[in-house]
Amino acid sequence: MASSSDFQQDRHSFSGSPQKWNDFELPGDTLYYRFTSDMSNTEWGYKFTVTAGHLGRFQTGFEILKQMLSEDRVVPHLPLGRIWEWQVGVACRQTGHQRLKAIHLLLKVVQCSTQRDCDLTLLKPLWQLFTHMENNLCQDMAKPGILLPLHRALAELFFVTENRVAELGTLQEYLLALNTEDHLHRCTAQ
C-alpha cells in the first residue's frame, strides 16, 4: 500500500499472518494497493479497512481535548453534548489504547457535565461490551486473573455514569435504555 501509483511514496508492505499487520496513516486522499498471492494457500486473501477524514493524529486530538476538559474555565464553553456523541462513537470504533483513551475522555466529560448535557443512553454498545466481558469473567472464575484495562475502564465509566444519572433522578430510564428486552426478561426471571 502506498500514496503513489508507483508505490514509492509512503509504502507499507505486509505478508503473512494478520498479527504482522499494523495500523498506519497515509497522507492525501488516495490509497494505492497491490495484492499478490504466492498461491500456497486457498484462502481468500486479506481484508483491510480504510478510514478517511482524519484531521490530525489521534494522540494530538486526545491531548488537546483532555487538556480542555481539565480547565475549569474552558469547560462551560465546550459543546459537551456534541463532544460526548463524538467520543462515544470513537470509543465504539477504536481498539486497544485508543479505545482506552476515548473511554478516559468519556469519563472526564461525565464528570464535567453539570446538567443533562450528554445523552448517556448512547453508551449502549459499550454497555453490551462490558456485560459481555462481565459474563466471560463469571464463567472463568476458576481461573484467577487480573481484570483487563478495558474492563476496568468500562467498570469505572459505568460506575460514575450510574451515580450521575442517580443524582439527576433518571436512573430507571437510563438502565432501561441500556439493556435489551431479552436481558430484562432474563433478569426478571431470575
Side-chain angles (χ1 to χ4, degrees), residues 73-87:
R73 59 187 167 78
V74 174
V75 170
H77 304 286
L78 296 175
L80 291 179
R82 289 182 59 208
I83 292 170
W84 176 260
E85 289 176 30
W86 177 70
Q87 274 309 120

Side-chain angles (χ1 to χ4, degrees), residues 124 127-128 175-186:
K124 187 171 186 167
W127 175 252
Q128 291 170 340
L175 293 175
L176 287 172
L178 288 187
N179 289 289
T180 64
E181 196 171 318
D182 285 345
H183 178 74
L184 294 174
H185 285 297
R186 274 183 281 145

Side-chain angles (χ1 to χ4, degrees), residues 3-188:
S3 61
S4 64
S5 60
D6 62 357
F7 294 92
Q8 297 303 309
Q9 294 177 337
D10 305 300
R11 183 181 173 144
H12 297 271
S13 296
F14 302 96
S15 178
S17 68
Q19 289 77 20
K20 294 181 180 180
W21 287 58
N22 295 317
D23 288 349
F24 63 92
E25 292 183 10
L26 286 178
D29 59 1
T30 306
L31 165 78
Y32 297 90
Y33 69 94
R34 183 179 323 157
F35 176 77
T36 307
S37 174
D38 64 358
M39 309 286 270
S40 63
N41 288 327
T42 57
E43 305 291 331
W44 67 271
Y46 287 99
K47 176 182 176 182
F48 58 91
T49 303
V50 177
T51 306
H54 291 283
L55 299 175
R57 300 190 51 83
F58 181 92
Q59 185 63 30
T60 303
F62 168 77
E63 293 297 335
I64 291 170
L65 191 51
K66 182 176 81 170
Q67 186 62 39
M68 290 172 65
L69 290 169
S70 299
E71 297 287 333
D72 290 337
R73 59 187 167 78
V74 174
V75 170
H77 304 286
L78 296 175
L80 291 179
R82 289 182 59 208
I83 292 170
W84 176 260
E85 289 176 30
W86 177 70
Q87 274 309 120
V88 169
V90 170
C92 290
R93 285 189 308 274
Q94 295 296 334
T95 59
H97 291 292
Q98 290 181 340
R99 177 178 273 171
L100 286 173
K101 288 178 179 182
I103 291 169
H104 174 78
L105 291 176
L106 286 173
L107 187 57
K108 287 186 90 53
V109 172
V110 167
Q111 292 167 332
C112 290
S113 62
T114 55
Q115 308 164 3
R116 299 174 189 255
D117 294 323
C118 308
D119 180 1
L120 299 175
T121 63
L122 293 175
L123 291 173
K124 187 171 186 167
L126 293 174
W127 175 252
Q128 291 170 340
L129 173 63
F130 178 68
T131 55
H132 177 73
M133 293 175 90
E134 285 282 300
N135 290 337
N136 287 344
L137 183 67
C138 290
Q139 291 170 0
D140 294 339
M141 287 302 274
K143 301 180 218 171
I146 300 172
L147 294 180
L148 296 172
L150 175 60
H151 189 231
R152 287 194 315 264
L154 287 171
E156 184 177 7
L157 174 65
F158 287 112
F159 177 75
V160 170
T161 303
E162 189 175 315
N163 285 336
R164 173 65 71 204
V165 294
E167 290 170 7
L168 295 171
T170 58
L171 182 59
Q172 184 175 358
E173 295 87 355
Y174 168 74
L175 293 175
L176 287 172
L178 288 187
N179 289 289
T180 64
E181 196 171 318
D182 285 345
H183 178 74
L184 294 174
H185 285 297
R186 274 183 281 145
C187 289
T188 304

